[in-house]
Amino acid sequence: VKVRVVIRPWGELQVDGRPKSKPDMVHQLELTPGPHVFTVTCQFCEVAGRTHHQDIRPGGPVEIKIAAPLMPGYLAFGSEFPDEAVVRIGADERTAKATREQPFKIPMPSGGSASMKYSVIYEASAPGFKTRKEKIEVAAGQRLVVSGGLDRP
């Protein structure tokens, strides 16, 4: 049976424990009918990858879509930010100083990301400074440190 496996954004494909393919977005296979195990991994994926079980029925071409399980990104705020500045991403809040030791963990979208990046909006504020609110992109597996600090009014 002709099987087309589409991986978002891309990845190596292992079928039934056989050797992995080269990294790609689309993998064309010829498989026998019956149950098969598909495992997707990539350079920026969680170590275990993602496993998908599918029973291939005789007949006709089959298309399977699997999102590569991208590693989270991490976001910290540099020493230009006052230590006591409060930084918020969604409902998560901590001081700029705390982010230097424990950065925000930015999970990648569960459906994958074509760019292998995720946009987040953060807000940083401290008494005596203007609030800074920005949208920033964090890549899978990246530890990004925001620089520039806060401006005085």
Side-chain angles (χ1 to χ4, degrees):
V1 177
K2 290 183 188 267
V3 178
R4 178 183 167 158
V5 180
V6 179
I7 300 173
R8 181 177 168 94
W10 53 266
E12 298 162 336
L13 179 65
Q14 183 176 35
V15 180
D16 300 330
R18 290 187 223 130
K20 293 178 184 177
S21 68
K22 292 181 180 176
D24 207 345
M25 282 180 61
V26 179
H27 300 265
Q28 303 284 356
L29 310 167
E30 187 79 32
L31 297 174
T32 58
H36 293 278
V37 179
F38 302 85
T39 303
V40 171
T41 57
C42 70
Q43 178 182 356
F44 299 102
C45 287
E46 296 283 354
V47 175
R50 175 165 287 141
T51 300
H52 175 83
H53 297 264
Q54 182 140 346
D55 191 21
I56 303 298
R57 300 190 189 277
V62 175
E63 182 171 283
I64 301 169
K65 294 181 180 180
I66 305 172
L70 299 176
M71 291 185 285
Y74 295 90
L75 190 60
F77 290 79
S79 59
E80 304 92 345
F81 284 84
D83 286 348
E84 71 281 0
V86 175
V87 182
R88 286 178 206 81
I89 296 177
D92 198 357
E93 176 179 297
R94 62 188 78 152
T95 65
K97 182 178 180 180
T99 71
R100 295 176 206 132
E101 296 170 15
Q102 184 183 4
F104 287 97
K105 183 178 180 180
I106 310 298
M108 295 295 117
S110 61
S113 166
S115 65
M116 299 188 88
K117 294 180 181 181
Y118 188 59
S119 294
V120 294
I121 297 173
Y122 73 84
E123 183 176 289
S125 61
F129 293 89
K130 292 181 184 177
T131 297
R132 180 173 168 182
K133 186 174 184 176
E134 287 186 344
K135 182 177 183 178
I136 194 163
E137 285 192 333
V138 181
Q142 176 187 32
R143 184 180 192 277
L144 180 63
V145 178
V146 178
S147 60
L150 298 174
D151 293 329
R152 297 260 183 207

